[in-house]
Amino acid sequence: MKLAILGGTNLATALGNKFLARGMDVVFGVREGFYVGQVAWKILQMQNRKIFTFREAIDQADIVFICSDNDVLPLICDAINSLDSVNKIVVDCTNGTSENELGCNTGYIVEETNHPAVFKAFNNLGLEYPKSDPLELVKETYFCGDGVESRLILKRLIELIGFKAIDAGKLKNAKLLEAVYHLRKEIAHVKNGYGDFHFKLMSV
């Protein structure tokens, strides 16, 4: 099983390195002209980790994790549409904003690609992760999507890299997972931007 991690973000390198540490076969996909400037990307390059275009990375992978900035989502959707990707699992790890025209990113990806196996996971971490969790206190992520077998595969991958996988139901709930992310950002704003905030699920 090969994973593609798409996007030139901190989340992309963080998740990619976690999967690599567990022995998974991982390729990275970035936009054309991407400057490998950050230390994490330079280390991956020095280790001869494969860094490709979005299309090249998707083409090689069985499971695709989208960890990109919102402005390149249209390029990623175009890359998915240009390939025979019907048997691949696509996992959206991003968040839209209330101000931009994309709305819920997962809904946008489904609309643009009509892909049959789109899931949501890891969006609670944010694209800045692990900077948003320097002490590595966040040990859980929510996921949602349709399809029993693919859900089980995703759950196992989440648990493989040390997170508790909390099942949030069907794909229609992706907008609720994005709302959780936006809520924690609003709380940080009210606190004058001091620190970061995360939610922990409790059963009582």
Side-chain angles (χ1 to χ4, degrees):
M1 180 184 295
K2 180 175 284 191
L3 312 182
I5 312 288
L6 307 184
T9 62
N10 290 331
L11 180 63
T13 53
L15 292 184
N17 281 323
K18 285 180 182 293
F19 282 121
L20 285 168
R22 300 299 296 173
M24 297 296 295
D25 191 359
V26 180
V27 294
F28 295 86
V30 295
R31 66 184 182 277
E32 291 187 23
F34 175 71
Y35 173 62
V36 183
Q38 291 186 344
V39 173
W41 286 101
K42 288 183 176 179
I43 291 173
L44 287 172
Q45 204 170 45
M46 288 169 54
Q47 294 173 340
N48 294 320
R49 300 300 181 189
K50 301 297 185 181
I51 302 175
F52 298 94
T53 64
F54 292 138
R55 190 180 188 282
E56 291 168 336
I58 294 168
D59 191 34
Q60 298 176 58
D62 302 297
I63 302 179
V64 177
F65 290 87
I66 301 176
C67 305
S68 70
D69 293 307
N70 287 348
D71 61 346
V72 298
L73 276 181
L75 298 177
I76 291 174
C77 290
D78 287 345
I80 292 172
N81 287 333
S82 70
L83 298 164
D84 181 11
S85 60
V86 68
N87 293 320
K88 301 178 188 292
I89 297 172
V90 174
V91 184
D92 175 31
C93 308
T94 70
N95 295 286
T97 68
S98 57
E99 293 82 13
N100 74 10
E101 61 186 18
L102 295 180
C104 174
N105 281 0
T106 312
Y108 173 82
I109 293 166
V110 171
E111 275 187 26
E112 292 297 309
T113 66
N114 198 31
H115 195 278
V118 176
F119 290 79
K120 187 83 166 180
F122 294 116
N123 75 295
N124 63 303
L125 303 180
L127 295 182
E128 69 276 14
Y129 180 85
K131 290 183 178 180
S132 62
D133 181 29
L135 299 179
E136 296 188 9
L137 298 177
V138 179
K139 298 297 183 183
E140 57 192 25
T141 190
Y142 312 95
F143 73 99
C144 67
D146 306 326
V148 175
E149 185 176 348
S150 296
R151 290 165 68 85
L152 183 57
I153 292 171
L154 178 56
K155 182 177 185 292
R156 287 174 174 170
L157 285 173
I158 291 170
E159 292 170 344
L160 179 69
I161 57 174
F163 289 93
K164 181 179 180 181
I166 299 174
D167 192 333
K170 294 185 178 297
L171 187 63
K172 66 179 183 179
N173 294 331
K175 61 182 179 294
L176 301 179
L177 298 190
E178 291 201 14
V180 170
Y181 171 81
H182 294 313
L183 178 58
R184 75 173 183 83
K185 299 304 288 184
E186 285 299 314
I187 292 172
H189 177 72
V190 170
K191 297 291 186 180
N192 297 317
Y194 177 75
D196 213 321
F197 296 83
H198 297 271
F199 296 103
K200 183 170 182 61
L201 191 67
M202 297 177 63
S203 176
V204 295

